[in-house]
Amino acid sequence: FLAMPLIPAGNLQAFVRANPVRDEDALLAMVYQLLKAVCTLVDHQLLHRDIKLDNILVREDGTAGAGRPPLRLLLADFGTLQPMANQDRGCTPGNPMKVAPELRTLQDLGRDAAAVVDLTKAEVWAVGALCFDLLGERAPYAEADSTSLPLGPAVSQLTQAVVRRMLAWRPEERLSALTGAAWVKTCRELSCGEVAADRDREAL
């Protein structure tokens, strides 16, 4: 027998379709959890290689306290999981139009050049690309300037800048999962502070 937890809310793709993401804090809460999941994989020298909405399960947490997200995201479907040391650098799983740009040309680099590519940065790209899907935006992934993010007025300039760094075309300029998580956490704290300040002004 294989025992698995029940996740009645299903995957993130179905959840977002029924519950569109309409505010910045909800977006940041999801992105933060996904980056922390990538950090955990990196700590164990593993690559997921196919992070997308339908590979993320949603658990609704009705008991979440103050400051905790009401949703827990669980990264699933580890069929493409590989240890970093054994990564097949000629293989590009997932939707070829949504993977990090370096993965599209990895097999053309040659063995020595491909061996030094930091593939953990491709996982960060995948999380950054999900921001478009979470907000119902269609992103052109094919061009080098596709990371100009028209995420709408509801998303602050700081958050847009962080997501843009997650989608930097060159891996060496892209945020790591750990740094990205730290920046997203800062964005959430600043966003909550601004909301609290607005409420204080309204009270006055």
Side-chain angles (χ1 to χ4, degrees):
F1 295 95
L2 181 63
M4 302 175 66
L6 176 64
I7 311 293
N11 65 37
L12 190 55
Q13 179 168 298
F15 184 87
V16 171
R17 189 180 296 122
N19 305 275
V21 178
R22 302 191 185 280
D23 65 86
E24 183 172 12
D25 188 62
L27 172 70
L28 292 173
M30 294 180 180
V31 173
Y32 179 75
Q33 290 182 68
L34 293 174
L35 288 172
K36 291 291 287 182
V38 172
C39 287
T40 299
L41 290 175
V42 171
D43 287 344
H44 289 83
Q45 296 292 298
L46 295 170
L47 297 166
H48 186 281
R49 306 196 308 154
D50 195 17
I51 299 174
K52 57 187 179 183
L53 291 184
D54 51 359
N55 285 345
I56 300 164
L57 302 180
V58 177
R59 174 179 287 165
E60 297 183 80
D61 187 359
T63 63
R68 295 182 58 194
L71 299 177
R72 288 187 60 198
L73 302 186
L74 307 171
L75 193 56
D77 194 348
F78 293 97
T80 57
L81 187 78
Q82 282 197 6
M84 292 180 194
N86 299 333
Q87 160 73 2
D88 179 0
R89 290 172 181 261
C91 175
T92 305
N95 185 335
M97 290 303 294
K98 289 191 176 184
V99 299
E102 64 270 20
L103 293 185
R104 303 174 203 170
T105 58
L106 203 59
Q107 59 188 352
D108 301 325
L109 293 179
R111 183 180 299 273
D112 293 339
V116 300
V117 175
D118 183 358
L119 295 178
T120 66
K121 296 292 189 72
E123 308 277 78
V124 175
W125 171 283
V127 176
L130 282 182
C131 292
F132 288 100
D133 298 322
L134 289 170
L135 291 171
E137 297 278 353
R138 183 175 179 179
Y141 294 93
E143 303 297 334
D145 62 354
S146 66
T147 55
S148 178
L149 305 179
L151 295 181
V155 179
S156 70
Q157 291 294 320
L158 179 58
T159 293
Q160 291 191 45
V162 172
V163 176
R164 192 174 294 115
R165 285 291 306 278
M166 292 169 61
L167 291 169
W169 202 255
R170 295 167 60 87
E172 59 270 23
E173 297 173 358
R174 197 176 305 151
L175 295 175
S176 68
L178 185 61
T179 304
W183 272 104
V184 169
K185 183 179 180 181
T186 299
C187 288
R188 287 198 73 197
E189 291 170 348
L190 291 174
S191 175
C192 289
E194 290 173 0
V195 170
D198 289 341
R199 280 199 290 259
D200 291 341
R201 281 193 291 269
E202 289 175 4
L204 291 173

